[in-house]
mmCIF file of all heavy atoms in Angstrom:
data_model
loop_
_atom_site.group_PDB
_atom_site.id
_atom_site.type_symbol
_atom_site.label_atom_id
_atom_site.label_comp_id
_atom_site.label_asym_id
_atom_site.label_seq_id
_atom_site.Cartn_x
_atom_site.Cartn_y
_atom_site.Cartn_z
ATOM 1 N N GLY A 1 0.819 -1.202 0.000
ATOM 2 C CA GLY A 1 0.000 0.000 0.000
ATOM 3 C C GLY A 1 0.848 1.245 0.000
ATOM 4 O O GLY A 1 2.088 1.176 0.003
ATOM 5 N N PRO A 2 0.193 2.389 0.002
ATOM 6 C CA PRO A 2 0.911 3.656 -0.137
ATOM 7 C C PRO A 2 1.769 4.044 1.069
ATOM 8 O O PRO A 2 2.377 5.094 1.076
ATOM 9 C CB PRO A 2 -0.209 4.668 -0.382
ATOM 10 C CG PRO A 2 -1.449 4.029 0.101
ATOM 11 C CD PRO A 2 -1.251 2.554 -0.013
ATOM 12 N N TRP A 3 1.851 3.205 2.054
ATOM 13 C CA TRP A 3 2.794 3.398 3.156
ATOM 14 C C TRP A 3 4.192 2.969 2.725
ATOM 15 O O TRP A 3 5.153 3.196 3.435
ATOM 16 C CB TRP A 3 2.342 2.627 4.402
ATOM 17 C CG TRP A 3 2.007 1.190 4.111
ATOM 18 C CD1 TRP A 3 2.879 0.127 4.084
ATOM 19 C CD2 TRP A 3 0.728 0.667 3.771
ATOM 20 N NE1 TRP A 3 2.210 -1.022 3.744
ATOM 21 C CE2 TRP A 3 0.878 -0.716 3.553
ATOM 22 C CE3 TRP A 3 -0.537 1.231 3.639
ATOM 23 C CZ2 TRP A 3 -0.186 -1.550 3.207
ATOM 24 C CZ3 TRP A 3 -1.587 0.396 3.292
ATOM 25 C CH2 TRP A 3 -1.413 -0.973 3.081
ATOM 26 N N GLU A 4 4.285 2.352 1.536
ATOM 27 C CA GLU A 4 5.570 1.937 0.985
ATOM 28 C C GLU A 4 6.041 2.968 -0.036
ATOM 29 O O GLU A 4 5.258 3.762 -0.540
ATOM 30 C CB GLU A 4 5.438 0.561 0.334
ATOM 31 C CG GLU A 4 5.034 -0.522 1.325
ATOM 32 C CD GLU A 4 4.723 -1.847 0.664
ATOM 33 O OE1 GLU A 4 3.910 -1.882 -0.281
ATOM 34 O OE2 GLU A 4 5.292 -2.852 1.105
ATOM 35 N N SER A 5 7.301 2.909 -0.386
ATOM 36 C CA SER A 5 7.879 3.905 -1.300
ATOM 37 C C SER A 5 7.832 3.483 -2.767
ATOM 38 O O SER A 5 8.336 4.200 -3.630
ATOM 39 C CB SER A 5 9.325 4.208 -0.897
ATOM 40 O OG SER A 5 10.108 3.021 -0.968
ATOM 41 N N VAL A 6 7.254 2.319 -3.035
ATOM 42 C CA VAL A 6 7.091 1.837 -4.412
ATOM 43 C C VAL A 6 5.698 1.248 -4.571
ATOM 44 O O VAL A 6 5.068 0.832 -3.593
ATOM 45 C CB VAL A 6 8.151 0.775 -4.796
ATOM 46 C CG1 VAL A 6 9.550 1.360 -4.786
ATOM 47 C CG2 VAL A 6 8.069 -0.434 -3.885
ATOM 48 N N THR A 7 5.215 1.197 -5.808
ATOM 49 C CA THR A 7 3.901 0.634 -6.080
ATOM 50 C C THR A 7 3.898 -0.878 -5.904
ATOM 51 O O THR A 7 4.915 -1.540 -6.112
ATOM 52 C CB THR A 7 3.441 0.969 -7.514
ATOM 53 O OG1 THR A 7 4.377 0.399 -8.434
ATOM 54 C CG2 THR A 7 3.332 2.464 -7.735
ATOM 55 N N GLY A 8 2.765 -1.400 -5.520
ATOM 56 C CA GLY A 8 2.581 -2.838 -5.394
ATOM 57 C C GLY A 8 1.114 -3.128 -5.192
ATOM 58 O O GLY A 8 0.398 -2.350 -4.554
ATOM 59 N N HIS A 9 0.659 -4.235 -5.734
ATOM 60 C CA HIS A 9 -0.759 -4.593 -5.605
ATOM 61 C C HIS A 9 -1.037 -5.014 -4.169
ATOM 62 O O HIS A 9 -0.302 -5.792 -3.587
ATOM 63 C CB HIS A 9 -1.119 -5.713 -6.574
ATOM 64 C CG HIS A 9 -2.588 -5.813 -6.819
ATOM 65 N ND1 HIS A 9 -3.455 -6.346 -5.878
ATOM 66 C CD2 HIS A 9 -3.348 -5.435 -7.865
ATOM 67 C CE1 HIS A 9 -4.683 -6.297 -6.359
ATOM 68 N NE2 HIS A 9 -4.649 -5.739 -7.570
ATOM 69 N N HIS A 10 -2.126 -4.512 -3.621
ATOM 70 C CA HIS A 10 -2.463 -4.794 -2.221
ATOM 71 C C HIS A 10 -2.956 -6.217 -1.994
ATOM 72 O O HIS A 10 -2.941 -6.707 -0.876
ATOM 73 C CB HIS A 10 -3.503 -3.789 -1.705
ATOM 74 C CG HIS A 10 -4.851 -3.927 -2.332
ATOM 75 N ND1 HIS A 10 -5.095 -3.638 -3.653
ATOM 76 C CD2 HIS A 10 -6.025 -4.340 -1.818
ATOM 77 C CE1 HIS A 10 -6.361 -3.861 -3.926
ATOM 78 N NE2 HIS A 10 -6.950 -4.281 -2.817
ATOM 79 N N SER A 11 -3.365 -6.907 -3.062
ATOM 80 C CA SER A 11 -3.919 -8.248 -2.897
ATOM 81 C C SER A 11 -3.498 -9.177 -4.043
ATOM 82 O O SER A 11 -4.333 -9.740 -4.752
ATOM 83 C CB SER A 11 -5.454 -8.165 -2.820
ATOM 84 O OG SER A 11 -6.006 -9.418 -2.523
ATOM 85 N N PRO A 12 -2.185 -9.360 -4.220
ATOM 86 C CA PRO A 12 -1.739 -10.237 -5.306
ATOM 87 C C PRO A 12 -2.075 -11.691 -4.989
ATOM 88 O O PRO A 12 -1.978 -12.118 -3.835
ATOM 89 C CB PRO A 12 -0.224 -10.027 -5.331
ATOM 90 C CG PRO A 12 0.124 -9.665 -3.919
ATOM 91 C CD PRO A 12 -1.057 -8.868 -3.421
ATOM 92 N N LEU A 13 -2.470 -12.430 -6.004
ATOM 93 C CA LEU A 13 -2.774 -13.839 -5.782
ATOM 94 C C LEU A 13 -1.482 -14.626 -5.546
ATOM 95 O O LEU A 13 -1.423 -15.457 -4.646
ATOM 96 C CB LEU A 13 -3.551 -14.419 -6.964
ATOM 97 C CG LEU A 13 -3.985 -15.880 -6.838
ATOM 98 C CD1 LEU A 13 -4.764 -16.146 -5.553
ATOM 99 C CD2 LEU A 13 -4.808 -16.295 -8.055
ATOM 100 N N PHE A 14 -0.457 -14.338 -6.333
ATOM 101 C CA PHE A 14 0.795 -15.081 -6.231
ATOM 102 C C PHE A 14 1.982 -14.145 -5.999
ATOM 103 O O PHE A 14 1.878 -12.933 -6.192
ATOM 104 C CB PHE A 14 1.039 -15.902 -7.514
ATOM 105 C CG PHE A 14 0.010 -16.963 -7.746
ATOM 106 C CD1 PHE A 14 -0.911 -16.841 -8.771
ATOM 107 C CD2 PHE A 14 -0.049 -18.084 -6.933
ATOM 108 C CE1 PHE A 14 -1.871 -17.821 -8.992
ATOM 109 C CE2 PHE A 14 -1.011 -19.067 -7.148
ATOM 110 C CZ PHE A 14 -1.925 -18.937 -8.187
ATOM 111 N N GLN A 15 3.096 -14.731 -5.650
ATOM 112 C CA GLN A 15 4.349 -14.001 -5.465
ATOM 113 C C GLN A 15 4.759 -13.362 -6.789
ATOM 114 O O GLN A 15 4.605 -13.959 -7.848
ATOM 115 C CB GLN A 15 5.429 -14.990 -5.008
ATOM 116 C CG GLN A 15 6.811 -14.401 -4.890
ATOM 117 C CD GLN A 15 7.830 -15.452 -4.475
ATOM 118 O OE1 GLN A 15 7.507 -16.401 -3.779
ATOM 119 N NE2 GLN A 15 9.047 -15.282 -4.934
ATOM 120 N N GLY A 16 5.279 -12.153 -6.711
ATOM 121 C CA GLY A 16 5.757 -11.470 -7.893
ATOM 122 C C GLY A 16 7.171 -11.882 -8.244
ATOM 123 O O GLY A 16 7.960 -12.264 -7.371
ATOM 124 N N SER A 17 7.512 -11.784 -9.505
ATOM 125 C CA SER A 17 8.848 -12.187 -9.959
ATOM 126 C C SER A 17 9.949 -11.302 -9.366
ATOM 127 O O SER A 17 11.096 -11.719 -9.279
ATOM 128 C CB SER A 17 8.914 -12.159 -11.484
ATOM 129 O OG SER A 17 8.622 -10.851 -11.956
ATOM 130 N N GLN A 18 9.602 -10.091 -8.936
ATOM 131 C CA GLN A 18 10.588 -9.181 -8.351
ATOM 132 C C GLN A 18 10.672 -9.303 -6.829
ATOM 133 O O GLN A 18 11.512 -8.668 -6.200
ATOM 134 C CB GLN A 18 10.256 -7.743 -8.720
ATOM 135 C CG GLN A 18 10.273 -7.461 -10.196
ATOM 136 C CD GLN A 18 9.814 -6.037 -10.509
ATOM 137 O OE1 GLN A 18 9.820 -5.169 -9.658
ATOM 138 N NE2 GLN A 18 9.410 -5.817 -11.741
ATOM 139 N N ASP A 19 9.795 -10.109 -6.224
ATOM 140 C CA ASP A 19 9.769 -10.232 -4.772
ATOM 141 C C ASP A 19 10.980 -11.009 -4.269
ATOM 142 O O ASP A 19 11.289 -12.086 -4.790
ATOM 143 C CB ASP A 19 8.491 -10.943 -4.310
ATOM 144 C CG ASP A 19 7.248 -10.127 -4.550
ATOM 145 O OD1 ASP A 19 7.362 -8.897 -4.733
ATOM 146 O OD2 ASP A 19 6.146 -10.714 -4.548
ATOM 147 N N THR A 20 11.625 -10.460 -3.247
ATOM 148 C CA THR A 20 12.760 -11.119 -2.613
ATOM 149 C C THR A 20 12.617 -11.005 -1.097
ATOM 150 O O THR A 20 11.847 -10.179 -0.594
ATOM 151 C CB THR A 20 14.102 -10.480 -3.039
ATOM 152 O OG1 THR A 20 14.085 -9.095 -2.665
ATOM 153 C CG2 THR A 20 14.339 -10.607 -4.528
ATOM 154 N N GLY A 21 13.363 -11.817 -0.372
ATOM 155 C CA GLY A 21 13.349 -11.755 1.086
ATOM 156 C C GLY A 21 11.947 -11.929 1.638
ATOM 157 O O GLY A 21 11.180 -12.777 1.186
ATOM 158 N N ASN A 22 11.589 -11.105 2.614
ATOM 159 C CA ASN A 22 10.273 -11.185 3.240
ATOM 160 C C ASN A 22 9.136 -10.831 2.296
ATOM 161 O O ASN A 22 7.984 -11.185 2.553
ATOM 162 C CB ASN A 22 10.210 -10.281 4.477
ATOM 163 C CG ASN A 22 11.034 -10.831 5.616
ATOM 164 O OD1 ASN A 22 11.337 -12.022 5.672
ATOM 165 N ND2 ASN A 22 11.409 -9.960 6.543
ATOM 166 N N GLN A 23 9.429 -10.154 1.196
ATOM 167 C CA GLN A 23 8.392 -9.807 0.219
ATOM 168 C C GLN A 23 7.756 -11.051 -0.390
ATOM 169 O O GLN A 23 6.628 -11.005 -0.871
ATOM 170 C CB GLN A 23 8.974 -8.924 -0.888
ATOM 171 C CG GLN A 23 9.510 -7.584 -0.409
ATOM 172 C CD GLN A 23 8.388 -6.642 -0.019
ATOM 173 O OE1 GLN A 23 7.419 -6.490 -0.746
ATOM 174 N NE2 GLN A 23 8.515 -6.028 1.142
ATOM 175 N N THR A 24 8.480 -12.175 -0.378
ATOM 176 C CA THR A 24 7.950 -13.404 -0.979
ATOM 177 C C THR A 24 6.747 -13.949 -0.207
ATOM 178 O O THR A 24 6.018 -14.790 -0.723
ATOM 179 C CB THR A 24 9.026 -14.498 -1.070
ATOM 180 O OG1 THR A 24 9.487 -14.816 0.249
ATOM 181 C CG2 THR A 24 10.200 -14.036 -1.932
ATOM 182 N N TYR A 25 6.540 -13.472 1.019
ATOM 183 C CA TYR A 25 5.411 -13.926 1.830
ATOM 184 C C TYR A 25 4.159 -13.070 1.626
ATOM 185 O O TYR A 25 3.097 -13.419 2.122
ATOM 186 C CB TYR A 25 5.758 -13.892 3.319
ATOM 187 C CG TYR A 25 7.034 -14.597 3.680
ATOM 188 C CD1 TYR A 25 8.017 -13.954 4.407
ATOM 189 C CD2 TYR A 25 7.259 -15.924 3.296
ATOM 190 C CE1 TYR A 25 9.191 -14.611 4.751
ATOM 191 C CE2 TYR A 25 8.428 -16.577 3.621
ATOM 192 C CZ TYR A 25 9.396 -15.913 4.353
ATOM 193 O OH TYR A 25 10.557 -16.554 4.685
ATOM 194 N N LEU A 26 4.292 -11.953 0.938
ATOM 195 C CA LEU A 26 3.211 -10.977 0.855
ATOM 196 C C LEU A 26 2.301 -11.230 -0.347
ATOM 197 O O LEU A 26 2.248 -10.454 -1.298
ATOM 198 C CB LEU A 26 3.788 -9.560 0.820
ATOM 199 C CG LEU A 26 4.658 -9.192 2.023
ATOM 200 C CD1 LEU A 26 5.197 -7.772 1.884
ATOM 201 C CD2 LEU A 26 3.891 -9.356 3.324
ATOM 202 N N ASN A 27 1.589 -12.351 -0.296
ATOM 203 C CA ASN A 27 0.639 -12.693 -1.349
ATOM 204 C C ASN A 27 -0.399 -13.669 -0.809
ATOM 205 O O ASN A 27 -0.196 -14.320 0.213
ATOM 206 C CB ASN A 27 1.364 -13.256 -2.580
ATOM 207 C CG ASN A 27 2.116 -14.529 -2.263
ATOM 208 O OD1 ASN A 27 1.512 -15.596 -2.186
ATOM 209 N ND2 ASN A 27 3.427 -14.428 -2.076
ATOM 210 N N THR A 28 -1.509 -13.736 -1.481
ATOM 211 C CA THR A 28 -2.642 -14.543 -1.058
ATOM 212 C C THR A 28 -2.295 -16.023 -0.990
ATOM 213 O O THR A 28 -2.635 -16.701 -0.017
ATOM 214 C CB THR A 28 -3.829 -14.302 -2.016
ATOM 215 O OG1 THR A 28 -4.168 -12.915 -1.958
ATOM 216 C CG2 THR A 28 -5.022 -15.148 -1.674
ATOM 217 N N ASP A 29 -1.627 -16.529 -2.016
ATOM 218 C CA ASP A 29 -1.286 -17.950 -2.061
ATOM 219 C C ASP A 29 -0.462 -18.345 -0.844
ATOM 220 O O ASP A 29 -0.745 -19.361 -0.203
ATOM 221 C CB ASP A 29 -0.539 -18.256 -3.360
ATOM 222 C CG ASP A 29 -0.094 -19.701 -3.457
ATOM 223 O OD1 ASP A 29 -0.957 -20.594 -3.343
ATOM 224 O OD2 ASP A 29 1.119 -19.940 -3.638
ATOM 225 N N PHE A 30 0.539 -17.558 -0.497
ATOM 226 C CA PHE A 30 1.361 -17.895 0.666
ATOM 227 C C PHE A 30 0.511 -17.914 1.933
ATOM 228 O O PHE A 30 0.607 -18.830 2.753
ATOM 229 C CB PHE A 30 2.536 -16.924 0.850
ATOM 230 C CG PHE A 30 3.351 -17.261 2.070
ATOM 231 C CD1 PHE A 30 4.341 -18.220 2.008
ATOM 232 C CD2 PHE A 30 3.070 -16.664 3.296
ATOM 233 C CE1 PHE A 30 5.056 -18.572 3.148
ATOM 234 C CE2 PHE A 30 3.773 -17.008 4.438
ATOM 235 C CZ PHE A 30 4.770 -17.968 4.367
ATOM 236 N N ALA A 31 -0.340 -16.897 2.117
ATOM 237 C CA ALA A 31 -1.150 -16.801 3.333
ATOM 238 C C ALA A 31 -2.102 -17.994 3.459
ATOM 239 O O ALA A 31 -2.238 -18.584 4.540
ATOM 240 C CB ALA A 31 -1.933 -15.491 3.338
ATOM 241 N N MET A 32 -2.745 -18.356 2.372
ATOM 242 C CA MET A 32 -3.695 -19.469 2.426
ATOM 243 C C MET A 32 -2.971 -20.798 2.666
ATOM 244 O O MET A 32 -3.426 -21.628 3.461
ATOM 245 C CB MET A 32 -4.527 -19.525 1.139
ATOM 246 C CG MET A 32 -5.421 -18.308 0.913
ATOM 247 S SD MET A 32 -6.597 -17.972 2.239
ATOM 248 C CE MET A 32 -7.747 -19.337 2.023
#
């Protein structure tokens, strides 16, 4: 969300190809 310094979808279904580190956990598939 806009609390971050770069754009990103607030509710991605899957991990993004640019996601690294803890960012790899920030998606619906991982949470479910």
Side-chain angles (χ1 to χ4, degrees):
W3 50 86
E4 298 172 308
S5 61
V6 296
T7 61
H9 199 285
H10 68 292
S11 186
L13 182 53
F14 296 109
Q15 175 182 330
S17 59
Q18 299 175 19
D19 292 341
T20 59
N22 289 339
Q23 298 288 313
T24 61
Y25 308 127
L26 302 179
N27 62 79
T28 300
D29 177 56
F30 178 84
M32 296 302 289

